[in-house]
Amino acid sequence: MPNFRPDDFHGIHAILYALFDVNEQLDRAAMRRQVEICLATGVHGMAALGLATEVAKLTGAERRTIMDWTAEDTAGKVPLAFTIFGSSVAEQIAQVRHAESVGADWVILQPPPVGSYGAPEYIRFFGRVAEATDLPVAIQNAPAFFGRGLSSDEIRGLVTLHPNIRLIKGEGPVTDIAGLIERTEGRMPVFNGRGGLELVDNFRIGCRGMILAPDCVDYAVRAYHAFRAGDEVTAEAEYTRMLPAAVFVMQGIENLICYGKRLFGARIGIPIHDRAPAMRPSEIGLAMVARFAAGLGRLPG
């Protein structure tokens, strides 16, 4: 049984980077250190195998390995989610089964990374995967990143058909997420991402929280706590400090993986190695990473 339920989910959840060694293999020590750092910042949840985890570059065995490692290192301290990647219903269900076996508290379904279909096909696809598990399920709706997605009304219909679809993981501007919250009548927790852009306004419109890569997660945690305490001035100040770096890394997913990961590495003092094919950093980009890392300071832990 999960340790946490959807009503417990809130705040800032960290989505892990895939950290590789010089031979492009997953680096066990670095991945463990990443979880330790995230927990030290006070994150309210942990997640892995999303876009920031470069899930499309991982084999099925590597995805299961990351589930194993993350569950072991998180050790039930905070809610744990895994994004489910797969080109077929069967492949996604197999990933869900492994998430269940390691004690995940919820899973986040991505649309299959093949083809481009109408909304009814995705609704049926998500529904079949959701019906195969008793875990709370979230739908990741990120049309800007995936090139496919569902409208607010289509999501509303999907969650009506499948009661264990209990959450929504958005990737969009505040104006879009506000419409989604309105159309679902506030009945489902909605998390946003986008590297923390528009952070405080996401809280204002009723987002339950944010799922962010860990390069600026300490500032996001402090902003969230300040907002919850009614101190919007401090919340905005914390957000303002992280904003230039967030804008820099969130120029696209490849940019996030190239520079966001290096910003995280610079803030904890570890080297970053890419798995090909990859966007390679420029001298200007590396100089920006160094400047932002110096301004943000070391991550806690």
Side-chain angles (χ1 to χ4, degrees), residues 109-185:
L109 304 186
Q110 284 186 354
V114 292
S116 182
Y117 309 101
E121 188 65 20
Y122 290 116
I123 289 171
R124 284 191 291 269
F125 185 98
F126 287 138
R128 289 174 64 193
V129 179
E131 286 174 353
T133 181
D134 292 329
L135 287 177
V137 172
I139 300 300
Q140 183 168 12
N141 201 48
F145 295 146
F146 296 137
R148 59 188 78 85
L150 300 176
S151 70
S152 296
D153 285 338
E154 288 160 351
I155 291 174
R156 182 179 180 178
L158 177 62
V159 302
T160 299
L161 291 171
H162 302 283
N164 71 320
I165 298 179
R166 302 283 303 279
L167 307 102
I168 303 169
K169 169 62 167 66
E171 295 281 357
V174 161
T175 49
D176 290 355
I177 300 299
L180 177 59
I181 292 172
E182 180 182 356
R183 290 302 296 152
T184 55
E185 299 172 344

Side-chain angles (χ1 to χ4, degrees), residues 50-73:
L51 295 171
T53 321
E54 298 174 76
V55 65
K57 290 184 184 179
L58 303 175
T59 67
E62 286 175 325
R63 291 177 216 138
R64 293 189 293 274
T65 294
I66 286 180
M67 289 187 190
D68 296 343
W69 290 352
T70 308
E72 178 184 345
D73 298 338

Side-chain angles (χ1 to χ4, degrees), residues 192-237:
N192 202 0
R194 296 179 74 226
L197 297 178
E198 303 177 305
L199 183 75
V200 181
D201 282 304
N202 274 285
F203 302 149
R204 290 186 178 115
I205 63 167
C207 269
R208 182 68 68 85
M210 305 287 281
I211 302 179
L212 312 176
D215 36 285
C216 295
V217 73
D218 49 335
Y219 288 88
V221 167
R222 291 195 295 268
Y224 176 75
H225 283 302
F227 184 85
R228 286 276 295 258
D231 185 358
E232 293 193 21
V233 172
T234 298
E236 288 284 6

